[in-house]
Amino acid sequence: MENEAKDTKPLNFEEGVLVIGVSDHYILQKLSSHYLTILERLRTYYPEKESFPVKTLKFVFYPSWETKDETSRIKHILLSKETLEELKLQCRNLSDPELKEAFLKLFQRLSL
């Protein structure tokens, strides 16, 4: 699992939960399924095992942080103006305002 480290980045640590961003879906699945093994391995490096601060690991998808240009990551799925308008119309039917806003922001980013 050493090779997976280049695709990970610590994002947050709060109340014993270490959140780790993973830039590849396959590696995310692999790490998530082995989180107990990884946690135990981390504990072996801590001098006082009973006061080890990490209680659990949480792996989340976190797109490549090395790519600064957003459009370069998504250019293969850019939407036409017509498709964008159609999707915006479909969003009007969503009852959840947060979900509606998230979709609209996504569609707007994909239309650059």
Side-chain angles (χ1 to χ4, degrees), residues 25-98:
H25 287 288
Y26 172 75
I27 295 172
L28 170 66
Q29 188 67 30
K30 185 177 177 183
L31 292 174
S32 294
S33 65
H34 290 94
Y35 87 94
L36 286 175
T37 305
I38 297 166
L39 186 59
E40 286 303 316
R41 193 176 294 173
L42 287 173
R43 283 188 179 130
T44 64
Y45 294 106
Y46 203 78
E48 298 175 34
K49 293 181 183 179
E50 52 280 340
S51 61
F52 184 63
V54 180
K55 294 178 183 159
T56 191
L57 300 172
K58 181 177 180 180
F59 295 96
V60 297
F61 180 66
Y62 189 74
S64 179
W65 45 85
E66 295 172 0
T67 304
K68 302 232 187 279
D69 182 10
E70 283 278 316
T71 58
S72 68
R73 287 199 325 242
I74 57 176
K75 66 182 173 188
H76 61 284
I77 53 173
L78 290 179
L79 303 173
S80 68
K81 288 181 183 179
E82 295 81 22
T83 304
L84 176 62
E85 290 307 313
E86 169 94 19
L87 290 169
K88 284 181 177 180
L89 286 172
Q90 293 296 322
C91 279
R92 289 184 184 167
N93 297 326
L94 295 173
S95 59
D96 184 330
E98 289 179 28

